[in-house]
Amino acid sequence: MAHYVIRVKGDLSPELTGVFPSLTADREPAQTVLHGELEDQSALAGVLNHLDTLGITIVEVVQVPPSS
């Protein structure tokens, strides 16, 4: 598993962020930051595809290195 941070444009509603139960949503001005553990690259691709299907603009995707 890897920890990812996905920054998207806009303030996503709890209904929208609820679609991604493995991710936590933090709202910032004009953006929402989704972050959490995803099983693999396929799971990440699934989240990104779902956001795209919903018409949500993805601003940034970062894989956070594991803490040692």
Side-chain angles (χ1 to χ4, degrees):
M1 272 209 214
H3 190 95
Y4 289 92
V5 175
I6 304 168
R7 188 175 302 272
V8 300
K9 186 175 181 181
D11 185 11
L12 301 185
S13 69
E15 291 79 17
L16 280 176
T17 58
V19 173
F20 309 104
S22 63
L23 300 174
T24 301
D26 296 328
R27 284 158 188 85
E28 297 181 354
Q31 293 184 343
T32 300
V33 180
L34 302 169
H35 58 93
E37 301 289 326
L38 295 174
E39 188 66 34
D40 53 24
Q41 291 284 321
S42 179
L44 173 62
V47 169
L48 297 177
N49 285 335
H50 199 146
L51 289 167
D52 185 56
T53 299
L54 293 170
I56 297 168
T57 301
I58 299 164
V59 176
E60 178 182 38
V61 178
V62 176
Q63 182 177 359
V64 179
S67 56
S68 44

